[in-house]
Amino acid sequence: MRSLFWFLALLALAVGLVLMVLATRRAQRPLWLAGAVLLAMVVGKLFLLDLANSGTVERIVSFLGVGVLLMIIGYAAPVPPGNTETQSG
């Protein structure tokens, strides 16, 4: 049962990443925000539920791993410009 929750979390993480990359390429900010919300829910689940009964080393590795992943996402899929930013620039 526990492996099912990890699989669903990884699936949601992959879907969020794909949404954010597609939204960046198509310049669709609402789609990017949907991917960001999905990633935030996965990270919240990781920290609040999955790491509740884990040791210190596991928490440190998880924080570093999620931080690196979010940096990669920020590089690969930056926020597309909004409507006011595209009109003025």
Side-chain angles (χ1 to χ4, degrees):
M1 184 71 172
R2 190 168 195 161
S3 63
L4 176 67
F5 288 128
W6 276 100
F7 175 74
L8 291 176
L10 289 175
L11 181 66
L13 187 71
V15 169
L17 176 61
V18 167
L19 282 176
M20 292 175 78
V21 170
L22 283 176
T24 298
R25 291 185 180 177
R26 295 179 183 174
Q28 295 178 346
R29 189 172 245 185
L31 187 62
W32 189 92
L33 289 173
V37 167
L38 192 58
L39 287 179
M41 289 181 0
V42 170
V43 170
K45 177 198 168 295
L46 172 71
F47 290 140
L48 296 176
L49 299 177
D50 296 338
L51 295 178
N53 297 323
S54 62
T56 305
V57 174
E58 292 172 344
R59 288 182 185 175
I60 291 170
V61 170
S62 296
F63 276 109
L64 290 175
V66 169
V68 167
L69 178 67
L70 292 176
M71 283 178 41
I72 292 170
I73 290 171
Y75 178 77
V79 181
N83 291 336
T84 57
E85 294 171 1
T86 56
Q87 291 174 357
S88 65

